[in-house]
Amino acid sequence: MKKFSVAEMARAQVEKAGRAMNLSQAFRQIMMCPKRVLRVIFPIKMDDGGVQCFTGFRCQYNDARGPTKGGVRYHPGVTEDEVIALACWMTWKCALVDLPYGGAKGGVICDPLKLSERELEKITRRYTTEIMPLLGPNKDIPAPDVFTTSKTMAWMMDTFSMLSGYTEPAVVTGKPEVLGGSKGRKEATGRGVAIVTRELFKVLKKPLKDCRIIIQGFGNVGSYAGLFLTQMGAKVVAVSDASIGLVEPKGFDIPELMAIVEKHKSLEPATIGKRVERDEILYQDADLLIPAALENQIRADNANRIKVAMISEGANGPTTPEADEILEARGVHVVPDILVNSGGVIVSHFEWVQALSGMYWEESEVNERLEKKLVRTCAEVWKRSQEMKISLRTAAYVVALERVNEVYKYRGIFP
Ligand code: NAD
């Protein structure tokens, strides 16, 4: 069986949609390649007095539709291949929800759980300085991703502003509100996961009430997705993070779990539910699985052990193309990442618009606009999948690729 790298996985998904919609070979070729990838290596003075070199990346995958947009990830497993795949997915996500952006992504190879706040600040400021030539509110706009937060964005914004000689709030999104961050941004990705899931349950005529949910990864996306879905009547019966898995058939109290993670940065000290091996939660008896951790979690070797009828991809790239086929053959509905977790970039766009205009919106306005955009996009993807008899993932790619292809028709290929 072929083993895919994540960038190959992203390209395989584009290929599949490209075939379904008879895209020209020339356009397919353009869509397979990142426009720009920068690798930086920089030294940091650590708290113990020693010096350590760190490697970071920033990839701008495609900017045909506008400035590039995408998060920055801090994780020991970051690779150039992963950053390219994530930037590729950002390109389709922004096009799918019709934002005037191209796709980008960044990352630094490090273990934030083993670094002090002072070390993290130095890494962030130096990484920002190294990728500075790529950044700017009309060029490339970072946001938080795995193990980066609003504080990381504040350091990036301040570093960019200091090096530019003026304050530029629109250069990052996901910043604290006091620096021009948008109301509702912190919860936006999880809120979007809940809205998209609710919309798909509606068209599939499934009740959300008492639906049993498994959530893999209880960080920003997983915890807020759980919170909003339980408010809609569902129950979260299993959760995991990088440390452990917890199972509670009666359903967890999500704010209680969030308070534990807020205090300890981990589910490890939790004394509620039954403790299981971290990955065992994937195979519990339930109706819906929300992977909200990392890529490559649902693969050919474990797809058949998954019992749920529907998967809402909160994380980027949690399902490999082989697993997709296995799940499709079994009739499991996989709602794709570029749709499910697009709430984050949608509200990031609202934040950018607010920062550029200097006019700030009420939270109700942010949430209403988010809801409207997601409901419309869900209907579009569902309709396309029904008309073309294709999976929801391929349908989402078809809508996104059509939008990017349309831009190339007018802009042409330079020179
Ligand atoms: P986060 O750092 O807030 O949380 C990640 C969670 O995953 C943590 O609880 C961590 O302990 C857990 N985790 C890590 N490895 C794990 C493993 N092997 N098994 C189980 N849990 C594991 O990150 P986040 O912002 O919530 O991002 C999660 C996913 O959602 C990523 O794929 C990210 O690219 C995607 N995403 C995030 C946003 C956003 O706005 N934050 C937007 C779109 C997509």
Side-chain angles (χ1 to χ4, degrees), residues 20 200 203-204 328 333-336 339 377-399:
L200 265 294
V203 287
L204 291 167
E328 203 176 333
H333 296 281
V334 180
V335 196
L339 172 61
T377 313
C378 284
E380 209 172 354
V381 170
W382 175 253
K383 185 164 169 264
R384 200 59 71 94
S385 81
Q386 296 299 294
E387 280 168 4
M388 294 177 71
K389 300 196 175 11
I390 50 178
S391 69
L392 290 167
R393 186 184 316 282
T394 305
Y397 271 78
V398 165
V399 174

Side-chain angles (χ1 to χ4, degrees), residues 73-75 86 90 93 105 113 143-149 185-186 188-190 215-223 240-244 261 265-267 278-279 281 291-295 297 314-318 337 341-345 348:
R73 177 174 293 194
Y74 287 176
H75 195 273
L86 290 162
M90 279 308 294
K93 194 183 301 180
K105 203 80 181 193
L113 300 178
D145 191 73
V146 174
F147 290 146
T148 54
T149 61
R185 172 62 185 90
K186 185 165 50 106
T189 310
I215 300 182
Q216 182 201 36
F218 202 71
N220 174 277
V221 179
S223 62
S240 68
D241 70 0
S243 63
I244 53 156
V261 174
K265 310 273 170 249
S266 164
L267 286 173
R278 184 187 75 188
D279 295 345
I281 62 132
L294 297 168
E295 312 83 61
Q297 298 302 303
N316 287 307
D337 46 7
N341 68 34
S342 61
V345 74
S348 272

Side-chain angles (χ1 to χ4, degrees), residues 191-374:
R191 186 185 293 278
V193 173
I195 295 171
V196 171
T197 304
R198 182 199 69 202
E199 289 304 293
L200 265 294
F201 266 61
K202 249 190 237 167
V203 287
L204 291 167
K205 302 194 171 32
K206 286 168 182 274
L208 197 48
K209 180 148 175 31
D210 293 329
C211 159
R212 296 162 307 158
I213 306 177
I214 301 167
I215 300 182
Q216 182 201 36
F218 202 71
N220 174 277
V221 179
S223 62
Y224 281 111
L227 184 69
F228 293 120
L229 280 163
T230 49
Q231 286 171 2
M232 291 174 186
K235 55 183 183 177
V236 174
V237 296
V239 288
S240 68
D241 70 0
S243 63
I244 53 156
L246 293 171
V247 176
E248 174 48 88
K250 285 194 226 126
F252 285 105
D253 181 279
I254 299 297
E256 191 181 354
L257 286 180
M258 287 171 89
I260 293 168
V261 174
E262 172 79 29
K263 187 162 172 207
H264 303 282
K265 310 273 170 249
S266 164
L267 286 173
E268 169 64 36
T271 52
I272 40 179
K274 187 176 123 207
R275 289 167 93 88
V276 295
E277 281 291 315
R278 184 187 75 188
D279 295 345
E280 280 306 305
I281 62 132
L282 295 174
Y283 317 121
Q284 300 296 313
D285 205 11
D287 306 300
L288 170 74
L289 166 64
I290 302 180
L294 297 168
E295 312 83 61
N296 259 323
Q297 298 302 303
I298 306 167
R299 304 168 304 268
D301 63 288
N302 69 353
N304 271 323
R305 293 184 62 197
I306 287 168
K307 299 190 185 117
V308 296
M310 184 162 143
I311 297 175
S312 274
E313 295 183 331
N316 287 307
T319 314
T320 67
E322 292 156 322
D324 247 348
E325 280 177 20
I326 295 169
L327 294 165
E328 203 176 333
R330 282 181 42 205
V332 177
H333 296 281
V334 180
V335 196
D337 46 7
I338 60 169
L339 172 61
V340 176
N341 68 34
S342 61
V345 74
I346 293 173
V347 176
S348 272
H349 174 243
F350 298 161
E351 180 173 327
W352 180 72
V353 169
Q354 292 172 72
L356 288 176
S357 67
M359 295 276 287
Y360 291 88
W361 308 350
E362 294 296 330
E363 187 167 353
S364 55
E365 184 170 359
V366 171
N367 292 342
E368 275 161 31
R369 284 178 184 256
L370 170 67
E371 166 105 20
K372 209 163 142 191
K373 206 171 218 345
L374 283 175

Side-chain angles (χ1 to χ4, degrees), residues 148-169:
T148 54
T149 61
S150 59
K151 198 181 261 178
T152 323
M153 292 306 111
W155 292 326
M156 288 192 89
M157 179 271 204
D158 183 69
T159 305
F160 182 92
S161 299
M162 287 297 145
L163 296 175
S164 304
Y166 56 88
T167 295
E168 184 46 274

